[in-house]
Amino acid sequence: MGRPAGYQWEPLGWEQDPVSGDPAAIAQEAQHLASMAQMIRGQVEALREIANDEINVGHTPDKIRSAASDLVDSLQAVEERYQTVSTALDRWIPELEQAQAMSLRALDEAEAPYAQLTKSAALPSGNDLTAQEKLEVSDYHAAMSRAQEQLDAAKALLSQAIDLRDTQAGYYAGVINSACDDSLKDSWWQQFENWVAENAWLINDICTVLELIAAVLAVVALCLSGVGLLALLFWAGIALTSAALMGRILLAATGNGSWFNVGMDVFALLTMGMGEWAAGGLKAVSEASGKLGDIAVAAARSEVMEKLAPVAEKGADVLGPDGMAKVM
C-alpha cells in the first residue's frame, strides 16, 4: 500500500510526505548486494584454491599462484563492502517502517481535530445571551481547545517519527560510508572523473566565457585593418578557442558535457584557420601589388630615359664640355 499523497498531509502542516522512503526498493537493493557478495565469495574461494595449489610447479604456476593470492585480497575487500552495505540496508528497513507507521498514526489522529478547527460555526453573540446560549459558546471553545491539543499531540508524534527516520538514516549512512572507506581505492581516472563532475558547472562557464571572448575578437578583427593587428587578434582567438576546446573535451570525455559542443569549437578553429589563410593571401596580394608597382615605376622611368636618350645625344653635339654652345 502506497503512502498518502502530498496534499493529504495538510492537517499536520506538510505539503509532501514528511517521512518518505521505499522500504520495498531498499530491500530489493539489499538483496542484490547480498547476492553480489555471495557470488564474489565463491570466486574468492576458487582463487584461494589456485593460490594454495602445490601440485603444479615451475615458473609460470608460481606467477599464477602469486597473482591469484593478490586478487583474493582485493576481491575479499569488495565482498566485505557489498555485504556490509547489504546488512546496513536490511537493518535500516524496519526502523524506516516504524517511523512511517508513526507518521501514519499521527496523520490519522490529526484529521478529526484539524477538520473541527477549520470548520466554521455560527455562535450566538451579544450581551443578553441566555444560559443555554452561554453554555453553547462555552462548549464550543472547550471543544476547540481539546481539538487544538489533539492536533498538537499528533504533530508532536510526527516530529518523533521524523527524528527517528533522520537519526537512523544518518547512522546507517555513516556505516555505509565507512564500508566504502576501505583498502580499495578508486583509480586516478575515477578520481579525476569525480573532480570534473564536482566542478563541471565551473568548467562549462569558463569555456563559455572563452568562446564569447574569441567571438568578440573575431568581430573586432573584421572592423580593423593592418596585418600585424589582424595576426595578433587571430592568434588570441586561436588560443582562447583552443582552451575552450580542451575544456569541452574534458567534460564530454567524463560524461559531463556534449560532443556537439566539442565539434562546434573544432569548427570555430577551422574557420579561424581559413581566416588566417585569407589574411595571408591578402598580405601576399598586397606585397605582390607593391612589387608590381615598383616594377611599373621602374619600367616607366626606363621608357622615359630611352625617349630622352636621342635628345641628350644631340645636346652633347651642340654643347661643349663646359656646357657652352659650340662655335660652328
Side-chain angles (χ1 to χ4, degrees):
M1 181 179 178
R3 299 276 293 170
Y7 70 91
Q8 293 179 284
W9 295 94
E10 185 178 354
L12 289 167
W14 287 76
E15 297 180 352
Q16 58 186 6
D17 188 350
V19 191
S20 59
D22 191 345
I26 296 173
Q28 183 177 2
E29 182 62 21
Q31 179 58 41
H32 171 70
L33 293 174
S35 300
M36 292 293 295
Q38 184 176 3
M39 181 188 70
I40 295 173
R41 196 177 304 118
Q43 298 301 318
V44 168
E45 293 301 325
L47 288 170
R48 278 181 178 154
E49 291 182 4
I50 295 174
N52 297 327
D53 185 8
E54 298 295 341
I55 298 176
N56 294 321
V57 294
H59 184 67
T60 301
D62 288 342
K63 284 189 174 181
I64 293 176
R65 282 194 291 267
S66 177
S69 180
D70 293 340
L71 190 56
V72 163
D73 295 335
S74 297
L75 285 179
Q76 192 167 10
V78 174
E79 183 265 329
E80 290 174 357
R81 178 186 291 189
Y82 276 101
Q83 189 58 57
T84 300
V85 175
S86 174
T87 301
L89 292 178
D90 276 332
R91 292 178 178 174
W92 161 230
I93 292 171
E95 296 179 351
L96 174 60
E97 289 176 336
Q98 179 185 355
Q100 290 187 330
M102 290 171 62
S103 69
L104 292 176
R105 189 166 72 251
L107 179 60
D108 183 62
E109 294 177 1
E111 288 177 340
Y114 175 78
Q116 187 175 359
L117 289 169
T118 55
K119 182 180 179 181
S120 60
L123 295 174
S125 59
N127 297 325
D128 55 346
L129 296 178
T130 64
Q132 181 62 35
E133 289 174 335
K134 291 180 180 179
L135 180 61
E136 182 180 347
V137 172
S138 177
D139 289 344
Y140 173 80
H141 288 297
M144 291 297 102
S145 180
R146 288 193 299 271
Q148 187 62 54
E149 290 176 356
Q150 293 171 352
L151 182 59
D152 290 343
K155 289 182 177 180
L157 179 59
L158 177 62
S159 295
Q160 294 176 14
I162 295 174
D163 289 342
L164 174 61
R165 189 273 311 273
D166 291 347
T167 300
Q168 294 308 107
Y171 169 75
Y172 287 111
V175 172
I176 292 172
N177 288 332
S178 297
C180 295
D181 187 18
D182 50 23
S183 60
L184 292 175
K185 301 299 179 183
D186 292 336
S187 67
W188 69 269
W189 177 251
Q190 291 171 323
Q191 295 175 359
F192 182 68
E193 281 185 327
N194 293 336
W195 180 86
V196 173
E198 292 174 358
N199 298 278
W201 63 273
L202 178 59
I203 298 173
N204 182 71
D205 289 349
I206 292 175
C207 291
T208 301
V209 171
L210 293 176
E211 290 160 352
L212 288 174
I213 295 175
V216 170
L217 292 179
V219 173
V220 172
L222 294 176
C223 303
L224 298 177
S225 61
V227 175
L229 184 57
L230 287 175
L232 177 62
L233 293 177
F234 166 76
W235 286 113
I238 285 288
L240 293 172
T241 306
S242 298
L245 176 60
M246 293 301 100
R248 294 298 185 190
I249 292 175
L250 186 64
L251 291 173
T254 57
N256 296 286
S258 170
W259 287 106
F260 175 78
N261 292 332
V262 174
M264 293 298 293
D265 281 347
V266 171
F267 177 76
L269 284 175
L270 291 176
T271 54
M272 284 184 182
M274 293 174 63
E276 174 67 5
W277 174 82
L282 290 175
K283 180 180 179 182
V285 170
S286 176
E287 293 176 348
S289 298
K291 291 179 180 179
L292 287 174
D294 294 340
I295 293 172
V297 171
R301 289 177 178 173
S302 176
E303 183 178 359
V304 171
M305 293 303 294
E306 288 177 359
K307 290 181 178 179
L308 291 177
V311 176
E313 291 177 357
K314 291 182 180 180
D317 294 336
V318 174
L319 298 176
D322 55 358
M324 300 299 292
K326 294 182 178 179
V327 178
M328 300 299 295

